[in-house]
Each structure stands twice: as C-alpha cells, then as structure tokens.
Amino acid sequence: VMRENEGHRLVEIIESSLDKIIEIEVNIKNLFKNSHKEIATDLLEKVNKTVQMIKSDTPIEAKDIVREVVLLAERADIAEEINRVNSHVVETKKTLKEQGQIGKKLDFLCQELSREFNTICSKTKKIEISQLALAGKLEVEKIREQVQNIE
C-alpha cells in the first residue's frame, strides 16, 4: 500500500513537470514562429558578406550559395525538435498510465527529451529560446530524479 501511494505521488510530481514542459514547448514554438523574419534577415546578411569578401575575379557558383543558405536555414530550424518534445511528453503521459515496470521506458523518454532541448539550445541564437530550453532541461532532470524511484 505504501509503495502504491508513493507511486501515485511520483506520478503527480512527474505530471506537474510534464505540464511545465508543455508550457515551455508552447512558448518556444511561439518565439520560433515569430523569429522566421529575423532568421531570414540574418541569412541574407551572411550571404551578402560572403559575396563581398570574394574577389570579383573569383567565380561564384549560384548552386554553392544556395547550398550554403539551405544548410544555414536547416541549422536554424528547430521545428522538428519542438514537435519531438511534444511527442515525448505525450508518450511519457501515456506510459505513466501503463501497468507493470515502466521505469526504464520513462528513463529513455527523459533522455530523449533532454536531447531535444540540447539540440534546441545548440541551434538557436535567440537567448529567450535558449533560456526556455534550459528550463525544459531542468524539468526533465526533475522527472529523471523521480523516475529513479520507479520500477
């Protein structure tokens, strides 16, 4: 009975952190949506600087510029990571309702959530998004501490 009661308390604590992670994810998504123009402007500036740095007698291939712009754009795009955070939270909530041993699965989901927040931090240049991603990592660590007490 004591273990079952403790399990219910742990689930409540974990669900509270998951709710905070969803709130963080929504805020990151909104900031990212509003930063597309800023990202495009930054890319354009980088392309212009690169073109100016190259001597006029050095041929520039349009396909090379396009390739570099695409690479820069892909590096700045965190939409996939945002979607994965949401997906991992949904899967974690689902797992909490399962019977049996769920500790290892929850630990794996914590690892995946942490990985997504790390990637968001490494891709973004917006300090607000980085701060939110770090807050997300903190919530994941809180969950991970509780998961250590679950079979």
Side-chain angles (χ1 to χ4, degrees):
V1 172
M2 284 178 52
R3 286 178 62 162
E4 189 173 319
N5 289 338
E6 180 185 12
H8 290 296
R9 284 192 303 275
L10 291 175
V11 167
E12 288 173 7
I13 292 167
I14 292 170
E15 285 179 340
S16 174
S17 283
L18 289 171
D19 291 342
K20 290 176 186 171
I21 289 172
I22 286 294
E23 186 179 317
I24 289 167
E25 180 258 341
V26 167
N27 289 331
I28 289 173
K29 188 184 298 183
N30 289 335
L31 282 170
F32 178 65
K33 264 195 277 186
N34 296 330
S35 68
H36 278 96
K37 186 176 181 179
E38 190 177 311
I39 292 169
T41 302
D42 186 44
L43 288 174
L44 187 57
E45 285 177 16
K46 287 180 181 181
V47 169
N48 286 333
K49 283 181 185 177
T50 303
V51 169
Q52 290 172 4
M53 287 175 28
I54 298 173
K55 295 178 184 175
S56 60
D57 58 3
T58 305
I60 296 177
E61 295 285 333
K63 65 181 180 180
D64 293 334
I65 293 174
V66 170
R67 183 179 60 239
E68 291 303 314
V69 168
V70 168
L71 284 173
L72 288 169
E74 284 177 357
R75 287 185 201 133
D77 188 1
I78 58 172
E80 187 175 334
E81 287 77 13
I82 293 169
N83 290 334
R84 283 190 190 145
V85 166
N86 186 285
S87 175
H88 295 322
V89 169
V90 168
E91 186 62 28
T92 302
K93 286 185 175 191
K94 182 177 144 190
T95 301
L96 288 171
K97 293 180 174 124
E98 293 177 4
Q99 299 294 318
Q101 296 182 344
I102 59 171
K104 288 186 188 238
K105 186 173 181 181
L106 290 172
D107 190 50
F108 172 75
L109 289 165
C110 286
Q111 178 182 341
E112 292 302 304
L113 280 164
S114 187
R115 182 175 294 136
E116 301 308 335
F117 283 123
N118 280 336
T119 304
I120 290 170
C121 282
S122 69
K123 282 185 164 186
T124 189
K125 290 186 178 185
K126 288 190 70 73
I127 190 73
E128 299 90 347
I129 293 176
S130 290
Q131 289 170 337
L132 285 167
L134 290 172
K137 283 184 61 165
L138 180 62
E139 290 303 320
V140 171
E141 286 308 311
K142 288 179 186 177
I143 293 171
R144 191 182 303 253
E145 287 176 19
Q146 300 308 317
V147 165
Q148 300 306 313
N149 298 314
I150 297 176
E151 288 184 2

